[in-house]
């Protein structure tokens, strides 16, 4: 049982756990809320964290998440306060360090079984986003459509759902727990997947795809929190890597499966297969998974005790005191304000949005490109996505290995700043235009098919090398409100990825594959200086920026 649950948690520990669970640190985790923990005295200029006051989410939050984890609350009386609170008969908490109701005390078999189920569900959701991409021409024939814009929108509308669904699922999980959200969203995901499989016209199909994305986004929101609920810090890194493999591999493996499945059974079977597998995962999750959210479990315990004892004063130690209206406000309003008023959040979100748009431009055009330029047909078309997947995996490995080494070096020196995360982003930024030029002109010249496939691998490597450092940088900069910053970035990149690819076919028709991809490459070249500027001026920008929530 982690010792941190039976002593007053540090400011950094609460922030770290909240970031892992996907919500801001003024909402309690199983370590408590930032409101219950005095900030380090060295951060005298840090803003007040009380919920009913304006909060400056950027100014004064320059210290990184990692340095906060190493800091203490700065109060010698804190452990005594925590001990008093633990023995207060009105406060409901775990019954000692070995309480079997605490998910942290589950058996290793149950913990890793839960992680496996969540990882499988998380893998399926991104898989479904692009699985039927090779079958898009067949869908167009079925619905008698020749609209190039709809051809791209059929694929990208799924990610549009990612922009809206998670904004509602996050506060709902704080009120009702993770398990009801998993089961409800899984069931609705299956329903809308089946609906897409039997759609009789284009409008129905696009609407059902949108709702697939809305409900399919739930594991991406809840998965990190589930892992943080049950896996101790020393093992959490391994679990998070396993969980993150789904969003990385799924979108690239899906078209390979979908290409052959479409050729063998038709495009509708892409959805039937997803529905069948999702149904199996849902049944398994209903059998094996249990609620993991400590605040929700303790609130249920307090409710039972109030009913059995008649003592209405009993209260969970992790009770946030927030109304549903407040939870929704923080979930929806905060990200919007941060996106519009925090320059660092705005700039990083724009960078991520553009790189994500490139990914979905490729997803929506690969089939047409390799069909027209290389006469690929049937299941072979799905193999055109292979380079992108291999490049993405390589980018994830390089970032994890070398990025962590760089950060560890600065932490050891005691001079770590969030901007040290951006070194890898500087490198990745150059791979994006190189990959776009490589892919575009090799396709235009109809060179051997391996040349553009390798070019997409370079592009996939650059995408991961920019996207992952940007995400960790937002967490380090905004610390207490990291989840809102990430939500802001997610909304913008989902909207961009859904809308920009709509014009990709027209772009290629007018400019050709060479100059069309060169246009995208020139735009990515314009973005290259962003991490360099933030490395040099990021700290100054953070100290001079004020964002009130």
């Amino acid at each position: 049982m982690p010792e941190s649950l039976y002593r007053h948690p540090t400011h950094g520990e609460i922030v770290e756990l909240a970031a892992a669970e996907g919500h801001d640190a003024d909402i309690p985790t199983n370590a408590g809320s930032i409101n219950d923990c005095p900030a380090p005295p060295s951060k005298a200029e840090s803003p007040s964290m009380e919920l009913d006051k304006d909060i400056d989410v950027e100014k004064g939050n320059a210290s990184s998440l990692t340095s906060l984890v190493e800091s203490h609350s700065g109060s010698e009386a804190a452990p005594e306060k925590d001990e008093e609170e633990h023995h207060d008969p009105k406060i409901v908490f775990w019954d000692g360090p070995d309480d079997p109701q605490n998910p942290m005390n589950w058996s290793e078999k149950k913990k890793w079984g839960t992680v496996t189920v969540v990882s499988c569900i998380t893998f399926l959701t991104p898989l479904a986003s692009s699985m039927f991409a090779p079958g898009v021409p067949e869908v167009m024939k079925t619905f008698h459509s020749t609209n190039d814009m709809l051809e791209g929108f059929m694929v990208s509308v799924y990610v549009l759902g990612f922009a809206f669904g998670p904004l509602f699922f996050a506060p709902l999980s704080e009120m009702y727990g993770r398990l009801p959200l998993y089961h409800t969203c899984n069931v609705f995901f299956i329903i809308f997947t089946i609906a897409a499989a039997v759609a009789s016209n284009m409008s129905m199909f696009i609407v059902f795809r949108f709702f697939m994305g809305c409900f399919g986004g739930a594991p991406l929101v809840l998965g990190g929190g589930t892992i943080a609920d049950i896996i101790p810090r020393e093992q959490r890194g391994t679990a998070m890597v396993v969980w993150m493999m789904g969003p990385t591999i799924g979108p690239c493996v899906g078209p390979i499966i979908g290409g052959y499945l479409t050729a063998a059974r038709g495009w509708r079977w892409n959805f039937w297969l997803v529905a069948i597998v999702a149904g199996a995962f849902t049944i398994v999750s209903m059998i094996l998974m249990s609620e993991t959210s400590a605040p929700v479990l303790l609130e249920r315990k307090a409710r039972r005790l109030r009913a059995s004892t008649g003592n209405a004063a009993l209260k969970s130690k992790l009770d946030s005191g927030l109304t549903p209206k407040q939870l929704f406000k923080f979930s929806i309003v905060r990200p919007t304000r941060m996106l519009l008023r925090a320059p660092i959040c705005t700039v990083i979100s724009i960078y991520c949005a553009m790189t994500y748009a490139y990914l979905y431009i490729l997803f929506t055009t690969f089939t047409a490109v390799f069909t027209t330029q290389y006469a690929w047909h049937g299941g072979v078309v799905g193999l055109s996505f292979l380079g992108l997947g291999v490049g993405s995996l390589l980018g994830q490995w390089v970032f994890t290995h070398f990025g962590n080494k760089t950060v560890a070096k600065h932490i050891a020196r005691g001079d770590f700043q969030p901007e040290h995360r951006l070194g890898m982003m500087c490198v990745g930024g150059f791979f994006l235009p190189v990959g776009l030029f490589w892919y575009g002109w090799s396709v235009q010249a109809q060179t051997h098919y391996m040349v553009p496939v390798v070019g997409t691998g370079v592009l996939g490597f650059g995408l991961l090398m920019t996207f992952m450092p940007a995400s960790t940088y937002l967490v380090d900069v905004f610390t207490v409100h990291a989840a809102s910053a990430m939500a802001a970035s997610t909304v913008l990149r989902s909207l961009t990825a859904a809308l920009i690819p709509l014009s990709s076919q027209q772009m290629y028709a007018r400019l050709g594959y060479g100059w069309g991809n060169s246009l995208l490459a020139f735009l990515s070249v314009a973005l290259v200086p962003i991490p360099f500027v933030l490395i040099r001026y990021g700290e100054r920008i953070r100290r001079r920026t004020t964002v009130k929530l």
Side-chain angles (χ1 to χ4, degrees):
M1 181 65 208
E3 179 188 349
S4 61
L5 293 183
Y6 289 91
R7 60 174 171 78
H8 201 281
T10 67
H11 183 280
E13 286 169 344
I14 294 175
V15 170
E16 181 187 39
L17 192 56
E21 293 186 359
H23 57 74
D24 291 340
D26 49 16
I27 297 173
T29 65
N30 57 24
S33 165
I34 200 71
N35 297 316
D36 305 321
C37 178
S42 59
K43 304 295 176 189
E45 78 269 17
S46 293
S48 168
M49 296 299 163
E50 294 188 22
L51 293 175
D52 58 346
K53 295 182 180 179
D54 285 343
I55 300 173
D56 182 347
V57 299
E58 197 167 16
K59 185 178 179 182
N61 277 342
S63 60
S64 70
L65 175 62
T66 308
S67 62
L68 282 171
V69 171
E70 294 176 343
S71 69
H72 293 281
S73 66
S75 172
E76 295 294 333
E80 295 177 10
K81 176 182 179 291
D82 188 55
E83 188 175 351
E84 272 179 27
E85 188 180 64
H86 184 55
H87 288 94
D88 187 335
K90 293 182 293 185
I91 298 297
V92 177
F93 197 51
W94 305 120
D95 297 332
D98 299 318
D99 188 347
Q101 296 183 64
N102 189 338
M104 280 288 187
N105 291 326
W106 288 356
S107 66
E108 291 297 307
K109 183 178 179 180
K110 185 173 183 179
K111 286 182 179 181
W112 287 100
T114 300
V115 171
T116 301
V117 173
V118 171
S119 298
C120 289
I121 297 172
T122 308
F123 172 76
L124 184 63
T125 296
L127 183 85
S129 71
S130 59
M131 185 172 174
F132 93 108
V136 166
E138 299 299 320
V139 180
M140 299 293 286
K141 289 179 184 177
T142 300
F143 296 136
H144 309 291
S145 175
T146 57
N147 190 318
D148 290 339
M149 185 174 293
L150 287 179
E151 187 173 351
F153 194 54
M154 282 192 296
V155 179
S156 62
V157 69
Y158 186 92
V159 79
L160 187 64
F162 287 175
F164 296 99
L167 291 177
F168 296 94
F169 299 147
L172 286 173
S173 69
E174 303 301 329
M175 289 185 282
Y176 304 111
R178 308 194 200 285
L179 200 61
L181 267 295
Y182 275 122
H183 295 337
T184 302
C185 291
N186 285 344
V187 169
F188 276 101
F189 177 74
I190 295 169
I191 290 172
F192 284 110
T193 301
I194 294 173
V198 299
S200 58
N201 59 62
M202 183 68 78
S203 300
M204 289 173 60
F205 180 77
I206 289 176
V207 170
F208 294 147
R209 279 278 292 174
F210 170 77
F211 282 109
M212 280 179 65
C214 281
F215 291 102
L220 301 175
V221 178
L222 304 175
T226 300
I227 291 172
D229 289 340
I230 62 178
I231 303 296
R233 290 176 63 194
E234 57 270 16
Q235 298 177 328
R236 197 174 298 153
T238 302
M240 292 294 285
V241 168
V242 173
W243 176 63
M244 283 299 295
M245 293 295 280
T248 304
I249 301 176
C252 302
V253 173
I256 299 174
I257 300 172
Y260 286 101
L261 188 59
T262 299
R265 301 300 301 269
W267 67 266
R268 294 184 189 272
W269 262 95
N270 288 296
F271 296 92
W272 285 117
L273 178 62
V274 170
I276 291 168
V277 176
F281 286 159
T282 300
I283 293 171
V284 171
S285 68
M286 289 179 174
I287 295 172
L288 298 182
M289 290 179 66
S290 303
E291 182 57 62
T292 63
S293 174
V296 171
L297 290 172
L298 287 172
E299 178 56 37
R300 291 177 184 174
K301 181 178 180 180
R303 194 182 304 128
R304 289 194 302 269
L305 291 173
R306 286 195 295 266
S308 62
T309 64
N311 185 356
L314 292 175
K315 181 180 178 182
S316 165
K317 183 179 179 180
L318 301 182
D319 183 10
S320 66
L322 299 178
T323 65
K325 182 178 179 181
Q326 286 175 311
L327 282 171
F328 274 103
K329 175 185 175 182
F330 298 144
S331 178
I332 296 173
V333 176
R334 271 184 182 172
T336 304
R337 288 187 176 179
M338 292 178 74
L339 183 62
L340 298 176
R341 299 182 182 181
I344 286 179
C345 184
T346 304
V347 170
I348 289 293
S349 296
I350 289 172
Y351 202 135
C352 290
M354 291 303 298
T355 56
Y356 214 60
Y358 294 155
L359 181 65
Y360 273 85
I361 286 174
L362 298 181
F363 281 161
T364 56
T365 59
F366 267 169
T367 301
V369 169
F370 281 86
T371 298
T372 57
Q373 297 297 98
Y374 292 97
W376 286 13
H377 297 284
V380 179
V381 175
L383 297 176
S384 60
F385 292 78
L386 195 57
L388 197 61
V390 172
S392 298
L393 278 177
L394 183 60
Q396 185 179 32
W397 180 84
V398 170
F399 167 76
T400 303
H401 180 71
F402 292 101
N404 287 347
K405 285 183 68 174
T406 301
V407 170
K409 179 181 69 176
H410 286 286
I411 290 174
R413 291 178 182 174
D415 64 350
F416 179 78
Q417 291 291 326
E419 283 71 30
H420 290 129
R421 297 281 189 188
L422 297 178
M424 304 300 288
M425 191 175 178
C426 293
V427 175
F430 288 102
F431 280 89
L432 289 175
V434 170
L436 287 165
F437 283 126
W438 186 331
Y439 164 68
W441 287 106
S442 60
V443 166
Q444 181 75 32
Q446 292 184 304
T447 59
H448 188 275
Y449 65 83
M450 278 303 297
V451 178
V453 168
V454 173
T456 61
V458 174
L459 181 57
F461 178 81
L463 286 170
L464 265 289
M465 287 284 284
T466 53
F467 178 73
M468 294 189 73
S471 299
T472 54
Y473 178 63
L474 287 178
V475 173
D476 279 347
V477 167
F478 292 97
T479 58
V480 173
H481 297 96
S484 290
M486 291 296 294
S489 179
T490 299
V491 169
L492 184 62
R493 74 170 185 260
S494 297
L495 290 171
T496 306
L499 300 178
I500 287 183
L502 299 183
S503 59
S504 55
Q505 292 284 21
Q506 293 93 323
M507 177 186 70
Y508 287 141
R510 293 189 178 188
L511 301 179
Y513 297 117
W515 283 111
N517 284 286
S518 293
L519 174 62
L520 301 178
F522 292 138
L523 291 174
S524 68
V525 168
L527 298 174
V528 167
I530 287 177
F532 290 94
V533 171
L534 290 177
I535 287 174
R536 186 177 180 101
Y537 300 107
E539 183 178 4
R540 191 181 307 175
I541 294 171
R542 286 188 277 110
R543 293 190 180 279
R544 292 184 178 181
T545 302
T546 299
V547 180
K548 300 294 184 181
L549 297 183

